[in-house]
Amino acid sequence: MLTLRTQNTSLNSMSPNWKSLFFLLLLQLFKLCFSKSQPFTSSSSNSDLQFPCKPPHHSSYPFCNTSLPITTRAQSLISLLTLREKIQQLSNNASAIPRLGIPPYEWWSESLHGIATNGPGVSFNGTIPSATSFPQVIVTAAAFNRTLWSLIGSAIAVEARSMYNLGQAGLTFWAPNINIFRDPRWGRGQETPGEDPMVASAYAIEFVNGFQGGNWGITHDGFGERRVLEGHDGGSDDGLMLSACCKHFTAYDLELWGNFSRYSFNAVVSEQDLEDTYQPPFRSCIQQGKASCLMCSYNAVNGVPACAQKDLLDKARNEWGFKGYITSDCDAVATVYEYQNYTTSSEDAVADVLKAGMDINCGTFLLRHTLSTIKKGKVQEEDIDKALLNLFSVQLRLGLFDGDPRNGQFGSLGPKDVCTSEHKALALEATRQGIVLLKNDKKFLPLEKGVDFSLAVIGPLANNASLLGGGYTGIPCSSKGLFEGLQEYTKRALYAAGCLDVPCKSRAGFREAIHTVKMADFVVIVVGLDLTQEREDHDRVSLLLPGKQMALVSSVAAASKEPVILVLTGGGPLDVTFAKEDPRIASILWIGYPGESGGRALAEVLFGDFNPGGRLPMTWYPESFTNIPMNDMNMRADPSQGYPGRTYRFYTGSRLYGFGDGLSYSKFTYNIVSAPKKLRLSRPLKVDSSRNVLHQAGDTLDYLHIDEVISCDSLRFFVEITVTNIGDMDGGHTVMLFSRMTKVVKGAPKQQLIGFNRVHTGSYKSTATSILVDPCTHFSFANDYGEWILPLGDHRLMVGDIEHTVSIEIN
């Protein structure tokens, strides 16, 4: 039986529309997996299509023999190459090997939230002119819906394979970005799942599994663990539909701030923070997601460039079990020598990264300097062979050397599978679920449908769909601006930009905006960020609205007959304290970068056709936070230095909105139906009791090192929760279960998310859900040495305003 992973999201807890979409996508995947349809044929003849192992002249090599093991085939190919041919494979633009019938291959394609134009491996100049543009990752993360994340990965994969079959994309894509959104100024925070390592880990697992083909033939045991059904690959270490790449490894979250640039930045990170904040998403992406690619970042970590840090890359392969290839970020090998001055020669830079375990360089540095490095004896040809083994193994798992791809499992995919109604519906659903309602005084929203009123839509972002895609965007199937979406709900819609553009450096358009507002019954103001304010290579210096946007909002609110609705765009947090406190601004919504369905999704929310249920995946700090140096990588607060810490887990300062904040048109209450009060560990334990006491301010707290606990599995339990909707509207809602220690312990998080489920609950009805708790993971934290420890005694579980105490004791 084919089973699609749904994690803890019960089908019974889905909304009717979401359930219907789910089954439509499931049917599409089922057909793809088992159909015997004819291969897709393009206008090109079979002889024009270039692929390795093409008969009759190049199909008899051992590396073309699909009955042989992957490693044997890869080693056979390596043995046939000359040294110069080997070196020509160490760049993202791998050269052809004509004598073996191997065409060139471009490793660099991008698929962050849809097929993107950033990488040279993708072209929309062909039979397929566009692809589904899903909301930016930070918006999708706000849905807190694992099933949604997985389905998006699968949908993008189908479109990518379709484009590959037409020569418009590769098979290796450099996504997702799973760095922690540590600082609100970071220009690429929009690309990530947010600030929480648990959420980033969950997103990585779901997206990568879906993208690489893991949605076929996978089910779960009682504790949510994956196991592969007999007869299905399901994302195993062998066959791949596509290759996903977890980036940027590691502690990368600064573009250009002050005198600090990502190309030369040295991230000074404690072992404690590295272990329990920066590394968990990558560990999960590799161990549970089975990612086949890892990208090392530009920055140095504690003085050593990430791509040259052998212990870092060895940890991924030897400790976490990574099986795939490691690529540098683009020109990150050149920066080792040219920007970071870590080596004194180009050859030393080449030697350091290859010996560290990097396999391929995005850029030309290895092409230009590897031969001289070998001649100087700094690396051996065997070092090149190790890299090629990893590279060719992934290509073989992708089926690149299995002959005509149109005869393979995915050969039937073509234009009909791109921009499908199912994919566009999924993009719309993702945007709906990700919109966050932050303020709604006196239940001002939703607006009443079917009533003849005029609506003024103000703002430079309200009528330009091209500004709503975010970074790493492709060419959308079709997109509607916000104004266009709202026009579908009211015939009397008026528009004025107010500002000439997003930077809004003058009040030139204010008069027109105010005039427009005075003619309307209701007003929607759309302001915030676009890629002129935050992007790759560009961090923000302020958390306030750009330019004179704040003045525009206040002026419009003062002129309006009724309180106004404020819609905020962009990936980074904004200090809109003025709007939060202004009674003339009734409602505030954050839509991020909503993608091609933004206009329709926002209209549905404003007019009540969709009940908002998104939650912020990051803390919204006040403007004063910009006094904190962005280059300070410490997560924990240090009161002695006036340092407030970072993210909801450690931050001690004031905040505008918190991680997990988000309102609904309904109200939800919780009840913990079932959870243990005590967990007992039986001796013997692998423990040296003399080491296991934390000393602080005259108090002691016993704890165990995680590796001393013989069976963590025996401690796991489910928390059974009932969610009740006591409002007048059906709605989706994310149940978030947090834990914290009852005692204040140095280094421990203030609280941390340990599980979440998105459920749909009817008006005045209840929904049951359960969340798995693994005390060895969820009640532990890293000590100063980066060692995971489990404190004994009381731990508090929290869902909403309901708390439950679980005590861990040793018999």
Side-chain angles (χ1 to χ4, degrees), residues 695-700:
H695 296 279
Q696 55 177 50
D699 197 5
T700 62

Side-chain angles (χ1 to χ4, degrees), residues 449-702:
K449 289 185 296 182
V451 177
D452 183 25
F453 61 78
S454 56
L455 180 69
V457 184
I458 308 297
L461 289 148
N463 201 26
N464 190 338
S466 66
L467 302 179
L468 301 178
Y472 284 79
T473 296
I475 298 176
C477 309
S478 59
S479 58
K480 288 184 178 180
L482 305 181
F483 179 61
E484 188 178 358
L486 291 169
Q487 281 181 304
E488 295 183 0
Y489 277 80
T490 176
K491 296 179 180 178
R492 293 200 291 143
L494 310 168
Y495 170 73
C499 297
L500 298 179
D501 52 22
V502 174
C504 194
K505 302 220 178 261
S506 77
R507 296 172 180 257
F510 281 28
R511 179 177 298 180
E512 179 191 3
I514 292 171
H515 175 73
T516 303
V517 165
K518 288 180 177 180
M519 294 189 295
D521 297 311
F522 293 96
V523 177
V524 175
I525 311 171
V526 184
V527 293
L529 309 173
D530 71 350
L531 296 184
T532 66
Q533 306 299 306
E534 54 173 3
R535 63 183 183 276
E536 187 169 10
D537 248 340
H538 183 84
D539 295 318
R540 288 189 291 159
V541 296
S542 172
L543 303 183
L544 299 176
L545 290 171
K548 299 185 184 300
Q549 285 189 21
M550 186 189 304
L552 174 66
V553 173
S554 297
S555 299
V556 167
S560 177
K561 301 171 187 175
E562 298 285 343
V564 302
I565 301 161
L566 178 62
V567 176
L568 301 172
T569 69
L574 290 162
D575 183 350
V576 287
T577 302
F578 80 98
K580 183 179 181 182
E581 297 175 351
D582 190 341
R584 298 172 303 178
I585 299 173
S587 303
I588 302 175
L589 301 99
W590 174 75
I591 63 171
Y593 292 104
E596 67 177 54
S597 301
R600 180 175 172 185
L602 177 63
E604 289 183 354
V605 169
L606 293 184
F607 284 89
D609 280 345
F610 189 86
N611 191 350
R615 295 200 178 206
L616 291 178
M618 68 294 200
T619 302
W620 282 34
Y621 303 86
E623 172 68 4
S624 59
F625 190 86
T626 59
N627 294 323
I628 304 301
M630 193 173 174
N631 61 303
D632 192 326
M633 302 293 290
N634 289 307
M635 300 302 299
R636 273 99 174 150
D638 184 354
S640 67
Q641 300 296 319
Y643 183 70
R646 296 178 182 274
T647 76
Y648 81 97
R649 295 166 66 227
F650 303 106
Y651 179 60
T652 58
S654 62
R655 64 185 185 181
L656 183 64
Y657 294 109
F659 173 87
D661 280 1
L663 304 174
S664 168
Y665 295 152
S666 294
K667 184 177 180 181
F668 298 88
T669 62
Y670 307 100
N671 182 37
I672 295 180
V673 177
S674 174
K677 293 184 177 180
K678 290 186 179 181
L679 299 174
R680 296 186 181 275
L681 290 170
S682 300
R683 295 181 184 275
L685 297 169
K686 301 177 292 181
V687 57
D688 177 3
S689 60
S690 64
R691 296 191 302 118
N692 289 42
V693 178
L694 291 173
H695 296 279
Q696 55 177 50
D699 197 5
T700 62
L701 176 70
D702 294 334

Side-chain angles (χ1 to χ4, degrees), residues 423-440:
H423 291 176
K424 289 188 284 189
L426 182 62
L428 173 60
E429 184 66 22
T431 307
R432 290 169 174 155
Q433 293 192 21
I435 291 176
V436 181
L437 179 64
L438 295 171
K439 178 182 179 181
N440 197 28

